[in-house]
Every structure is written in structure tokens, then in C-alpha cells.
Amino acid sequence: MTRIRLIAALVMAPAAIAAILLLPTAWLVTLAAVVFLLGLWEWFDLADIDETLAKTVLLLAHLALMVALVWASRSGSGFSFALFELATLVGVIWWLLALVWLGRYGFASDHTTYARVFKLAAGALAIIPAWCALGWLHASDASASVVAWIPKGHFWLLTALMMVWAADSGAYFVGRRFGRHKLSPRISPNKTVEGLIGGLVAGVAMALAVSLVAGADRSQLPAIALVAAVATLFSVAGDLFESLLKRHAGVKDSGTLIPGHGGVLDRLDGVLAALPAFALGKGLMGF
């Protein structure tokens, strides 16, 4: 399983990095919409939506909302990201509220109608704002980065994503080696406080390193470190929330689409929470 997992990662990571750095924003957000909607399809399963027709209608409704956001942001003077920024703010607020949900394990844990409604609403509030934050980050700065032919905004999105990937790896290895104190044993028994600290350090370090390639000034590094630390903690909340949904559903993975990695949502959980936090922090801090 470890070998399959490694091979899948070696295929996915370069493809994702190439797409982020080389594709225009319009093409990237289109590709990201496909990936995010695949994750949303798996979310429907965790929300106990079994009927294919119902899931298809719900998926099309979310796609229509994405298209509406793009259409409403166009004007004769160009493209405005104001609605994307607003959606990003909504996403940050949602993940702060999700912390309350995480503290109440039994909330919406059964299969009644109200539980499905809450979990479907949570899915929309996770997927749409993260997609908007992705587009906003990618288009945030068209000036040249250290790599002159790649805009800074492309590297800022890569910074956010590599931060999450590094945090995941740091938490895994530090947790395995030094983990003693459980972080949330009922939701995710393998996560530890030591792993959280290791992931936080790794995530911030990666964000600082990649931000320098994006063209950040040294004077901006403290602000970047602060935003990266907050966004990394948000990614942990996203990871725990998906684990909560899987516990409620009685499954180990959200799907089987990615060999050795489970489902698409299993790879997106931390990203969904971290992207809005990083994009909003970047906008507020002005780097």
C-alpha cells in the first residue's frame, strides 16, 4: 500500500504543480471545479445521500452556483474578484463555526433529515469558498515572480497548497516518532498534539520558503509566517471535520478513486479549510 501511495503521489504532485504554475487562471479554476466537485460527490455519500439522481441534481446546483459567480463577476471593464473575496470570508466564518461542531461529536450523527441538511450545507460552505479562494489567490498578483515568466499569484497559490502538504507530512512523521498526547481521540485517534506542532512548524517553514520564490520581501516574512500558522491550523480543522463525517458514516475513506490515498475528499480536506484562511490573511496583510 505504501508503494502504491508513493507512486500516486509522484504522479499527482508534479501534475498539480505544473497546472498551478503554467495554466491561466480561467483554465485552472475550471480544472479545480472538476476536482472540487468530485470531492463534493464523495461528501454527499458521507452525508448519507445514496440516490444517484439526488446527488446529480445537488452537484449540478453547486456547478450552477460556480458558473453564476463567474458570470456575475464579469463586466465591461474586466473581471472583478469581489464576489470571490466575499465567498472566501464566508468560508473562514464557516470553519470557525465548524470548531463548535467538532466539539459536539454527536451533533447530526444519525441519518435523519436534519442531519443531512446540516451536512449538505457544510459541504457547500466548504467547497464553494475554497474554490473562490483558489481563484482569487491565483489571480492576486500578475507581476513577475523570481521565475520571470510566471506571475506571483500562481506562486502564492502554490505557497498555500505546499504549506498544507508539508503540514500533513510533518504531522505524520512527528506524530509517529514523538506522539504521546492525543489531539482528538474520538474523532481521529491517530492525531497527536506533537504531530500538530510538527505539522505547524513544517507548514510555516514551507510557506516562508515558497513565498520567497513568489517574490516576497524579507520585511513581509513575519506577516506571512503568521498567516501560514493560522491557515495551517485551519487545515487541521478541515482534516478533523472530514474525519468526523467519516466516523458518522462508518467508513475509513471518502472514496477509492486515488490508489493508496482513498478518495478525492481525503486529499482535499485540509485544503478546503486552509485556502480561505490563507487568501483572506494575504488580502488583509497586504503581501
Side-chain angles (χ1 to χ4, degrees):
M1 181 62 73
T2 302
R3 182 181 178 184
I4 296 174
R5 185 183 181 93
L6 178 60
I7 293 172
L10 290 175
V11 172
M12 292 188 299
I17 292 171
I20 293 164
L21 295 181
L22 302 179
L23 290 179
T25 299
W27 282 100
L28 183 70
V29 296
T30 301
L31 177 61
V34 173
V35 175
F36 279 31
L37 289 174
L38 285 173
L40 184 63
W41 184 272
E42 295 174 353
W43 193 298
F44 294 155
D45 289 329
L46 299 181
D48 198 36
I49 307 298
D50 299 322
E51 303 84 0
T52 301
L53 178 59
K55 290 196 292 186
T56 301
V57 171
L58 287 168
L59 194 77
L60 291 175
H62 286 78
L63 175 60
L65 179 55
M66 289 175 167
V67 172
L69 284 168
V70 173
W71 178 82
S73 299
R74 299 176 63 187
S75 67
S77 58
F79 194 92
S80 169
F81 278 91
L83 290 176
F84 282 62
E85 295 168 12
L86 179 60
T88 298
L89 174 60
V90 170
V92 171
I93 294 172
W94 149 245
W95 284 110
L96 290 173
L97 293 174
L99 295 177
V100 180
W101 192 333
L102 288 172
R104 289 160 174 76
Y105 177 88
F107 179 74
S109 60
D110 54 19
H111 304 289
T112 61
T113 301
Y114 88 88
R116 292 179 180 179
V117 170
F118 276 112
K119 288 176 180 177
L120 288 175
L125 291 169
I127 295 293
I128 301 298
W131 177 75
C132 289
L134 179 146
W136 180 22
L137 275 173
H138 198 256
S140 61
D141 193 338
S143 59
S145 63
V146 172
V147 183
W149 46 279
I150 299 178
K152 287 183 179 180
H154 296 203
F155 272 106
W156 282 120
L157 176 58
L158 184 63
T159 299
L161 293 176
M162 291 194 70
M163 173 196 72
V164 177
W165 300 338
D168 283 345
S169 298
Y172 176 75
F173 288 110
V174 173
R176 285 194 64 181
R177 178 65 179 83
F178 301 105
R180 296 293 184 273
H181 302 87
K182 299 297 184 182
L183 179 64
S184 183
R186 195 172 186 188
I187 296 175
S188 187
N190 293 328
K191 287 184 173 55
T192 63
V193 175
E194 292 82 2
L196 171 64
I197 296 171
L200 184 62
V201 172
V204 172
M206 180 62 76
L208 290 174
V210 184
S211 69
L212 291 174
V213 182
D217 296 328
R218 293 186 181 276
S219 62
Q220 296 175 319
L221 293 183
I224 294 170
L226 175 61
V227 171
V230 173
T232 298
L233 292 175
F234 267 69
S235 75
V236 176
D239 194 339
L240 285 173
F241 193 82
E242 196 223 355
S243 295
L244 177 69
L245 295 180
K246 289 190 291 188
R247 287 275 174 178
H248 287 176
V251 297
K252 182 180 182 294
D253 297 316
S254 66
T256 58
L257 188 61
I258 305 175
H261 289 263
V264 174
L265 191 59
D266 291 320
R267 297 300 92 209
L268 286 180
D269 50 9
V271 170
L272 294 178
L275 280 179
F278 190 87
L280 184 63
K282 178 182 180 299
L284 291 175
M285 291 295 189
F287 57 79

